Amino acid sequence: MKLLTHNMLTSHVKGVIKGFPLIIKATEVKVNEVEFNPEFVSRMIPKLEWNALVQAAEELGQRQDLPGELVPDFEKNEEFLKKVHRVLLEVEVIEGCLKCPESGREFPICKGIPNMLLNEDEV
């Protein structure tokens, strides 16, 4: 699961009001090089919950020099876009789980795929 995906996931367990951001508990993380596409990264940044991205990168020990806040005119800052690209698209959780911050429900991540399916009593 890439951190781009993580940034868009939330817990929908019945009764949960604050199901975002999910806490990452990773047992296996890989960093795979992906071709840099500045246009894609620039278009994705406004759709991200920035603080959740920074927190997720920190939880995985992959924050490095990713700034805590968006930089002005990020579209023109290739160095910044490369840092965001790395965290969004190259860092991948292979095994572990996502934990709901409110209910504590854990959703498994297996072979890079988060299973967000709920049990009948959770719907």
Side-chain angles (χ1 to χ4, degrees), residues 1-10 20-24 52-53 56 59 98:
M1 175 195 71
K2 297 185 186 303
L3 293 188
L4 173 61
T5 303
H6 170 263
N7 200 268
M8 314 249 169
L9 294 175
T10 188
F20 180 87
L22 296 165
I23 300 158
I24 302 173
L53 177 65
E59 287 171 0
L98 298 171

Side-chain angles (χ1 to χ4, degrees), residues 7-73:
N7 200 268
M8 314 249 169
L9 294 175
T10 188
S11 173
H12 290 288
V13 173
K14 179 173 47 179
V16 168
I17 296 167
K18 186 184 182 293
F20 180 87
L22 296 165
I23 300 158
I24 302 173
K25 295 167 67 178
T27 56
E28 183 181 352
V29 177
K30 287 189 178 172
V31 179
N32 298 310
E33 192 171 319
V34 175
E35 185 178 342
F36 178 56
N37 183 336
E39 294 81 23
F40 176 77
V41 176
S42 297
R43 282 185 269 130
M44 289 310 299
I45 288 175
K47 297 174 171 84
L48 297 172
E49 179 62 47
W50 186 257
N51 290 335
L53 177 65
V54 172
Q55 178 186 335
E58 187 79 40
E59 287 171 0
L60 297 176
Q62 296 292 329
R63 181 171 174 189
Q64 295 180 348
D65 53 355
L66 184 70
E69 295 183 12
L70 279 174
V71 299
D73 296 324

Side-chain angles (χ1 to χ4, degrees), residues 47-122:
K47 297 174 171 84
L48 297 172
E49 179 62 47
W50 186 257
N51 290 335
L53 177 65
V54 172
Q55 178 186 335
E58 187 79 40
E59 287 171 0
L60 297 176
Q62 296 292 329
R63 181 171 174 189
Q64 295 180 348
D65 53 355
L66 184 70
E69 295 183 12
L70 279 174
V71 299
D73 296 324
F74 62 82
E75 303 92 344
K76 300 172 189 154
N77 186 334
E78 188 167 308
E79 181 182 335
F80 174 75
L81 291 176
K82 284 183 177 178
K83 292 174 187 175
V84 177
H85 163 86
R86 181 186 175 284
V87 170
L88 277 183
L89 302 171
E90 294 185 349
V91 175
E92 188 167 3
V93 178
I94 305 300
E95 300 289 333
C97 68
L98 298 171
K99 183 177 177 182
C100 174
E102 185 176 325
S103 70
R105 163 70 147 87
E106 293 188 350
F107 301 94
I109 303 168
C110 186
K111 298 180 184 169
I113 301 170
N115 181 348
M116 301 298 292
L117 294 176
L118 298 174
N119 298 321
E120 265 187 53
D121 63 327
E122 296 174 311

